[in-house]
Amino acid sequence: MWLDLGITFFISQITLLIPTQVVGEWSPNILDLPDSHLTRFLNTFKDEAEKCRGSNSCIYRNILETGLCWGYETNCPQHLGYSSAHCPGDHKGWVSSKSQQLQTFINQADFGFVKQQNQSKTVMCKPRFDGESSLECSQYLQFCRGSNLYIDFRDLSSRKESFRYKMDVLKKGQIGGKCKLNDFKLQSEAIHQSPLQSWAPEIQHFQELPHLINKQSKICDVFIDRPTLIMKIDATVNMYHHFCDFFNLYTSLHLNGTHSEMFSRDINILIWETYVYHSNFGITWSAFTQNPLMNLRTFQGKRVCFREVIFPLLPRMIFGLYYNTPVVWGCQESGLFHAFSKFILHRLKIPKRTTIDQVKTPRIKITLLSRNTQYRRILNEQVLLDKLRSSPRQYAIQRVEFTHETDFRQQLRIIQDTDILIGMHGAGLTHLLFLPDWSSVFELYNCGDEHCYADLARLRGVHYQTWTNSAKLKPQDEGHHPSDGGPHAKFTNYSFDTEEFLRIVDLAADHVNRHPAYRHMLGHLHQQFNVSQRLKSSDEL
């Protein structure tokens, strides 16, 4: 249950009392952030708060003194932070107390991770005078940011083949700036030498330069004035892997969040490869930038200077976030994952549920992800759907296939209108990141990979279930791994016992019905419906 429920409801109510904004008044539309972000943004940047305070149309004026914060600030009390993380389960020996269990979870997988990254930052190259360059990085060069930096891309003209995941893009002296370099510290942190683990393969070549880096510098063929984020990205065809990129980009916005432009979309994104970017999930970039994506071919053959450049967190960091992250047992509901979900949904303009069945007990909405693939198909899918439709609970059911041709915004609209998400183990279950808070995800069978989506669900804070009775499912065969031909649970298809299937779905429905956020949503929509009915009746009179 999230603390901002009440705030969001309060804001939605007072909106009805606020007149239409007049030109020149403060508007949250400029920032384009969800309510839960705006309240913390205004508490962080006092100049923005004063603009709101002086505006008659700012609906946030009454909550400017609440002290709400993210959780990584030095003066943020836990009860005012974003997170609602808690640890109802056993820690299984990870730690020695419940308080230590919760703090470990916050540090591993919540805004405490941002705090630790911030605390580990070191100035690698220090400016001695105004206008000189600067470079600072977190531990192991996982996140870096700099000003007035130089990168030499002239060698790229001779590399005709397209490439990604290369660690030899730069050589010594092809990145640098005019500042005092702590080379010993830099090299001591450059130990994670892997394409997607750190920026060590690139930043290790940083050198001091004799001349200022600015618009007048003769060594700059191109000077980029707009803030630029340089990204090395994971597999763009796979939602699980690609959203690791987007999640770490969002987290990096907070790591760079020392000024009121921290959520600005007027930035460049330069992808550190020469392939032209293609992905069905590409619309997600619009949550971060309003400008076209660039890649290394954009600047091949040129010496490029950047006024402000950021090297964000990477998708496969050792003890990083999301991918293969060891997370303490028994804890759930990372505020960082929740905030990421709400940020993406808001920026992509995905509507919340606005209608309900006008009956005594509204129907639970179930979405079944169907796989049209060689492996992990549900062999008796239609029988399972028929079983759901015959339930006395009268579920509202839809079967969907999300392919590379399915508009991603439409996928998110469906997921936002889902109470129970059902699907086989696979990247499609990554959609659980964008389920409503009250939802349940039923990984029909995890195919022996028991932690992947179970961990993602508890990080996001949605209920999770999977098949546990192996006697009540039937594999088509033992499965054959494509590389060695050996038996493997992920490379076959399955049939499922219908009674056991319905039992697990009913448990998920019980969770949804009990969830305070679900009951709040139903009450709010019932209230809106009743108001509209009264207005309709008065118009008819």
Side-chain angles (χ1 to χ4, degrees):
M1 180 169 57
W2 292 91
L3 297 176
D4 283 318
L5 268 177
I7 292 170
T8 303
F9 180 71
F10 171 72
I11 290 170
S12 70
Q13 299 306 300
I14 65 174
T15 301
L16 301 175
L17 307 177
I18 299 297
T20 305
Q21 291 181 347
V22 297
V23 177
E25 296 236 330
W26 187 89
S27 170
N29 296 333
I30 298 171
L31 296 168
D32 195 15
L33 294 170
D35 291 336
S36 58
H37 283 55
L38 272 167
T39 51
R40 289 160 173 85
F41 180 90
L42 292 171
N43 280 327
T44 301
F45 301 107
K46 301 305 180 184
D47 288 348
E48 293 296 320
E50 286 306 311
K51 293 177 187 176
C52 171
R53 199 187 312 276
S55 170
N56 291 328
S57 62
C58 180
I59 63 175
Y60 300 92
R61 284 189 299 165
N62 293 336
I63 50 178
L64 289 177
E65 304 302 329
T66 58
L68 292 172
C69 44
W70 295 105
Y72 51 79
E73 303 91 338
T74 56
N75 59 345
C76 178
Q78 187 170 322
H79 70 284
L80 294 178
Y82 190 105
S83 179
S84 292
H86 57 287
C87 302
D90 183 6
H91 54 70
K92 300 185 180 181
W94 268 67
V95 292
S96 58
S97 67
K98 292 300 287 186
S99 61
Q100 191 181 8
Q101 181 187 17
L102 177 59
Q103 191 58 54
T104 300
F105 180 76
I106 290 171
N107 290 343
Q108 286 178 330
D110 210 323
F111 281 111
F113 179 84
V114 177
K115 187 172 186 176
Q116 290 189 324
Q117 285 280 335
N118 268 326
Q119 290 172 342
S120 76
K121 285 178 185 173
T122 301
V123 176
M124 296 294 177
C125 203
K126 184 177 181 179
R128 288 160 289 199
F129 303 100
D130 288 346
E132 289 195 338
S133 308
S134 69
L135 176 70
E136 69 170 348
C137 298
S138 64
Q139 189 175 32
Y140 306 128
L141 310 183
Q142 292 179 328
F143 170 93
C144 295
R145 64 179 177 181
S147 61
N148 301 320
L149 296 191
Y150 162 91
I151 304 181
D152 187 349
F153 293 117
R154 286 178 294 181
D155 285 355
L156 292 182
S157 296
S158 61
R159 300 178 70 156
K160 302 305 180 186
E161 81 289 354
S162 293
F163 65 83
R164 60 170 57 100
Y165 310 139
K166 294 292 186 181
M167 297 196 296
D168 62 349
V169 177
L170 299 180
K171 297 194 290 287
K172 202 70 175 175
Q174 291 185 325
I175 179 171
K178 183 174 174 56
C179 46
K180 179 60 177 175
L181 177 64
N182 186 343
D183 193 54
F184 175 79
K185 179 64 175 176
L186 178 64
Q187 299 308 323
S188 69
E189 295 287 355
I191 59 176
H192 291 180
Q193 292 284 345
S194 183
L196 298 181
Q197 285 182 0
S198 83
W199 290 99
E202 294 75 32
I203 301 295
Q204 67 180 344
H205 298 303
F206 195 97
Q207 281 193 337
E208 289 187 39
L209 299 177
H211 305 293
L212 289 174
I213 304 300
N214 54 40
K215 289 182 179 180
Q216 289 74 44
S217 300
K218 293 183 179 180
I219 64 168
C220 304
D221 298 316
V222 179
F223 186 87
I224 307 297
D225 197 52
R226 181 182 290 133
T228 300
L229 283 79
I230 300 178
M231 294 192 65
K232 296 185 285 191
I233 60 177
D234 210 325
T236 60
V237 299
N238 182 294
M239 185 177 180
Y240 181 86
H241 289 282
H242 202 9
F243 270 81
C244 198
D245 301 317
F246 295 125
F247 176 81
N248 279 288
L249 174 56
Y250 173 78
T251 305
S252 297
L253 299 184
H254 287 277
L255 268 173
N256 190 47
T258 55
H259 53 81
S260 60
E261 298 296 311
M262 63 182 288
F263 293 114
S264 171
R265 264 200 286 241
D266 191 17
I267 62 170
N268 292 327
I269 291 179
L270 168 61
I271 299 178
W272 198 259
E273 59 186 51
T274 57
Y275 284 95
V276 176
Y277 176 85
H278 291 293
S279 175
N280 188 49
F281 311 111
I283 191 64
T284 311
W285 292 112
S286 67
F288 299 96
T289 181
Q290 65 196 27
N291 301 308
L293 297 179
M294 301 182 292
N295 65 21
L296 292 177
R297 291 290 183 216
T298 307
F299 298 119
Q300 67 178 16
K302 298 183 184 299
R303 297 169 298 175
V304 183
C305 299
F306 299 89
R307 181 180 63 83
E308 182 180 347
V309 63
I310 297 166
F311 302 85
L313 299 170
L314 290 156
R316 300 203 184 193
M317 298 179 296
I318 297 175
F319 299 118
L321 263 182
Y322 189 133
Y323 180 79
N324 278 348
T325 305
V327 180
V328 65
W329 290 98
C331 301
Q332 59 199 48
E333 294 191 41
S334 161
L336 181 55
F337 276 80
H338 184 272
F340 168 71
S341 176
K342 301 309 177 187
F343 176 82
I344 295 296
L345 291 169
H346 179 89
R347 284 274 171 103
L348 296 187
K349 309 301 182 217
I350 306 303
K352 297 177 182 179
R353 189 172 302 177
T354 56
T355 59
I356 55 174
D357 301 320
Q358 294 307 315
V359 294
K360 185 175 182 180
T361 305
R363 296 193 297 168
I364 298 287
K365 296 186 175 184
I366 297 175
T367 299
L368 185 139
L369 292 179
S370 182
R371 289 174 64 90
N372 185 20
T373 54
Q374 185 176 359
Y375 302 116
R376 280 173 273 155
R377 285 182 287 113
I378 306 168
L379 295 175
N380 63 334
E381 180 178 274
Q382 189 57 51
V383 175
L384 297 182
L385 288 170
D386 290 342
K387 186 69 174 177
L388 285 177
R389 292 187 176 103
S390 67
S391 167
R393 295 200 181 199
Q394 297 184 318
Y395 294 121
I397 302 152
Q398 61 179 333
R399 170 193 173 275
V400 297
E401 283 185 35
F402 290 156
T403 71
H404 296 300
E405 279 128 32
T406 311
D407 178 80
F408 185 58
R409 272 200 178 110
Q410 178 59 22
Q411 294 181 35
L412 292 182
R413 290 187 194 102
I414 291 170
I415 293 301
Q416 262 291 285
D417 201 35
T418 294
D419 301 315
I420 301 174
L421 178 66
I422 304 173
M424 287 287 286
H425 179 83
L429 286 176
T430 310
H431 287 89
L432 68 84
L433 287 170
F434 304 105
L435 285 168
D437 294 342
W438 58 78
S439 299
S440 178
V441 58
F442 177 11
E443 183 175 17
L444 194 49
Y445 185 48
N446 61 34
C447 301
D449 191 351
E450 59 179 306
H451 299 300
C452 181
Y453 293 102
D455 280 350
L456 195 61
R458 68 185 176 105
L459 288 168
R460 168 58 187 88
V462 293
H463 182 248
Y464 171 88
Q465 294 183 119
T466 191
W467 202 272
T468 56
N469 190 338
S470 59
K472 293 188 176 183
L473 65 82
K474 183 179 179 181
Q476 191 173 29
D477 54 39
E478 64 179 5
H480 302 285
H481 197 283
S483 60
D484 58 22
H488 201 293
K490 290 185 182 180
F491 298 95
T492 188
N493 304 304
Y494 294 88
S495 298
F496 297 87
D497 179 84
T498 57
E499 294 299 330
E500 179 68 2
F501 172 76
L502 185 59
R503 183 188 73 83
I504 297 174
V505 171
D506 286 345
L507 289 174
D510 291 341
H511 164 82
V512 172
N513 276 320
R514 290 193 303 265
H515 199 287
Y518 180 71
R519 303 179 73 83
H520 173 89
M521 181 272 297
L522 292 183
H524 184 50
L525 292 182
H526 271 306
Q527 183 185 51
Q528 287 185 332
F529 176 78
N530 292 335
V531 169
S532 66
Q533 290 298 104
R534 287 198 297 271
L535 290 174
K536 182 179 178 182
S537 298
S538 63
D539 287 343
E540 289 172 353
L541 292 174

